[in-house]
Amino acid sequence: MSAEYKLEIVSGGLAGRVVPVPTAGLRLGRSSTCEISVPGDPALSRNHCIFELRGGVLYIADLNSANGTEVNGKPVQETVLKDGDRVCAGGTELVVRVSGAAVPAPSAAAPECVDLGFGRNASAAAPSGAARPQRLGALLATAGGVAVLAGVALYILCAPQGGAPEGSAISEIEGAPASVQAAARFSAFYEKTVCSPAGILRYALSIADDGAISVEIDEVPDANRHLSRTEKPGDETLLGFKNAFADPALAGLRDVYQGPARPDGAVSSRRLCWTLDGVSHDVYVENCDPPPAVETACRELETLANNAFGIWMLQYSSGELVAMAAEAQRNGDVKWEDRNVEHGNTAAAVKHYREAIELLKSVDRKPAGYANLVESHDRAVRELDARWRALKGSADVAINTRDFAKAAEVLREILRTVTDETDERRKEAERMLFDAERRLSGKDRK
């Protein structure tokens, strides 16, 4: 049984509450958009800290808060949480409660060799819960991070080559890991890493056998970008991921493909583990073109993940994302100022502010004014909700008094005010308008 994490709030405005940590994680702060929202705590930042589940382990990360986050009395930027740990953020204190089989946390002791997930003799990880390497952002968070990075690249360059034929573009390494044990349901793990003395880019995608899909992206030190998301998509999306492994050629591949070392010490690798129809496979490719079946599967997985998680913004640099977010925020400000000019301007402001926040999600160092952006978004959301409630109340009164002409007029105003076609408030207004117009047409004589 996997571990279940809960946060017991022992002091502050929400003292006495126990909050389960969902797979997607949760945020603590004053903002109403936070899963644990404490608006009355002035010592909390609007988005103060975040609790995240990575590979079954609970992490906490401070979100550049004004007053910082403490774990067991010590300030932290990011750390693993264990049962009984006490978290203090502003005037709110929480205790971590763990039940079930806890996943071992990463060891605090420095390992003999840093495993970044692209070592040629890395042990195979089960696709249903592949053990992922420690997050790269933590490795490079210190001033000596770049030196460690260069050292890792040098280690890989100088490591034994395992008997690869000289001059071979693709060769097999002795002692390659065996295929992983079979699992009952479909699961997969895909990791792409590019490592050089200049930086590291790591993209990891895992598909658990319960259908949960997680994506982690780390780009350091230049972009200093970290992204971690988990979702449980519908059956159709999950089937798309499963079909990425439908090529029969995948089953006939070797465990490891190895190209020659590069003069600059750079290492480019891909790892693909999957269990399909009760049979498991593990393929590792380093410093060479992957077999066509692997290249196609990896490309399909990345495309599906980018669409499912909406992470198309990763093609842009941090600077470009900040500039795009600033433009979206300006557009939101214009619509907000004109909110009384046209019915849909408040909803348009919400849309632009939300776009700006989304653009900045993968940027670790949030730009100046980010807190104002979140506040502007929350203010516009509240205003839109207030307008909808007022109009909905008028529509309800008209319907109850059987003034269907008035009801239809107000409901059309709701549609002009709530412009997002996926918004449940708009969908409800559309259903009510259909009924009101049907009654007006005389089709319903009851």
Side-chain angles (χ1 to χ4, degrees):
M1 181 175 68
S2 60
E4 295 181 358
Y5 292 89
K6 297 181 179 179
L7 302 174
E8 179 184 353
I9 304 175
V10 296
S11 66
L14 301 179
R17 284 186 55 186
V18 177
V19 183
V21 181
T23 304
L26 53 80
R27 290 172 299 151
L28 166 65
R30 287 189 296 110
S31 172
S32 60
T33 61
C34 290
E35 288 74 16
I36 303 179
S37 177
V38 194
D41 188 346
L44 275 179
S45 295
R46 293 196 59 78
N47 291 274
H48 197 101
C49 59
I50 186 169
F51 297 84
E52 294 181 299
L53 285 172
R54 305 179 202 154
V57 177
L58 181 62
Y59 285 75
I60 184 173
D62 185 80
L63 298 175
N64 298 321
S65 64
N67 296 315
T69 302
E70 294 184 355
V71 175
N72 299 326
K74 297 180 180 180
V76 299
Q77 186 62 39
E78 180 175 304
T79 190
V80 175
L81 293 175
K82 306 178 297 297
D83 186 42
D85 281 349
R86 302 183 78 88
V87 176
C88 186
T92 302
E93 187 174 5
L94 311 92
V95 177
V96 179
R97 302 300 185 193
V98 185
S99 59
V103 178
S107 173
E112 213 172 288
C113 172
V114 178
D115 178 13
L116 296 179
F118 44 76
R120 52 176 57 88
N121 290 319
S123 299
S128 60
R132 289 179 279 185
Q134 187 174 0
R135 193 176 185 183
L136 303 182
L139 174 66
L140 298 179
T142 63
V146 175
V148 172
L149 176 61
V152 171
L154 181 62
Y155 165 78
I156 294 171
L157 178 64
C158 299
Q161 297 302 308
E166 186 176 353
S168 173
I170 301 180
S171 56
E172 189 170 1
I173 294 179
E174 297 290 338
S179 296
V180 292
Q181 296 296 318
R185 289 178 285 179
F186 168 67
S187 57
F189 177 70
Y190 164 53
E191 184 176 55
K192 177 175 70 176
T193 308
V194 178
C195 171
S196 74
I200 293 178
L201 171 64
R202 174 178 175 264
Y203 179 106
L205 167 69
S206 63
I207 306 170
D209 56 13
D210 66 354
I213 299 178
S214 300
V215 169
E216 288 186 3
I217 300 169
D218 297 273
E219 187 178 359
V220 288
D222 293 336
N224 196 29
R225 189 185 307 176
H226 310 284
L227 182 74
S228 178
R229 295 190 187 176
T230 300
E231 287 188 8
K232 206 163 185 179
D235 292 341
E236 186 175 344
T237 300
L238 192 61
L239 181 61
F241 282 97
K242 184 175 181 180
N243 287 340
F245 297 90
D247 188 347
L250 286 169
L253 297 175
R254 299 197 302 268
D255 289 336
V256 178
Y257 295 84
Q258 173 70 35
R262 297 178 180 174
D264 60 357
V267 174
S268 176
S269 69
R270 297 189 191 189
R271 186 174 189 183
L272 196 59
C273 312
W274 71 100
T275 295
L276 186 61
D277 298 329
V279 180
S280 297
H281 307 272
D282 185 356
V283 178
Y284 178 77
V285 181
E286 183 182 294
N287 283 359
C288 63
D289 292 332
V294 172
E295 175 68 31
T296 300
C298 293
R299 185 170 59 249
E300 290 183 7
L301 288 174
E302 290 187 29
T303 300
L304 287 165
N306 291 348
N307 291 336
F309 287 87
I311 50 178
W312 54 268
M313 73 286 291
L314 292 173
Q315 62 188 295
Y316 299 103
S317 68
S318 295
E320 289 172 323
L321 291 172
V322 169
M324 293 164 65
E327 178 65 21
Q329 184 174 1
R330 284 192 293 270
N331 292 336
D333 291 341
V334 170
K335 292 298 183 181
W336 173 255
E337 290 300 321
D338 292 341
R339 62 190 180 279
N340 294 322
V341 177
E342 292 185 14
H343 290 290
N345 279 352
T346 303
V350 172
K351 180 180 178 181
H352 288 305
Y353 290 140
R354 189 169 293 157
E355 177 188 353
I357 292 171
E358 185 69 24
L359 286 165
L360 295 173
K361 273 189 175 179
S362 63
V363 178
D364 267 14
R365 294 189 181 94
K366 301 294 189 286
Y370 179 74
N372 291 334
L373 167 63
V374 175
E375 173 60 35
S376 296
H377 169 267
D378 294 349
R379 178 187 59 191
V381 167
R382 291 192 298 269
E383 174 68 16
L384 181 61
D385 190 64
R387 294 190 177 203
W388 168 77
R389 288 180 184 279
L391 291 169
K392 176 65 164 51
S394 297
D396 288 341
V397 169
I399 290 173
N400 290 336
T401 57
R402 303 189 68 81
D403 187 350
F404 297 114
K406 177 64 175 178
E409 178 185 343
V410 176
L411 290 167
R412 291 189 191 98
E413 189 173 348
I414 290 179
L415 298 183
R416 292 192 294 269
T417 301
V418 183
T419 56
D420 182 0
E421 295 185 355
T422 65
D423 194 311
E424 289 300 325
R425 296 171 297 188
R426 180 184 174 90
K427 292 179 180 179
E428 180 188 29
E430 289 173 340
R431 292 191 295 268
M432 293 173 66
L433 178 60
F434 176 80
D435 183 66
E437 289 178 334
R438 185 186 62 175
R439 292 173 184 272
L440 283 172
S441 69
K443 293 180 179 179
D444 189 341
R445 298 292 185 182
K446 294 181 181 180

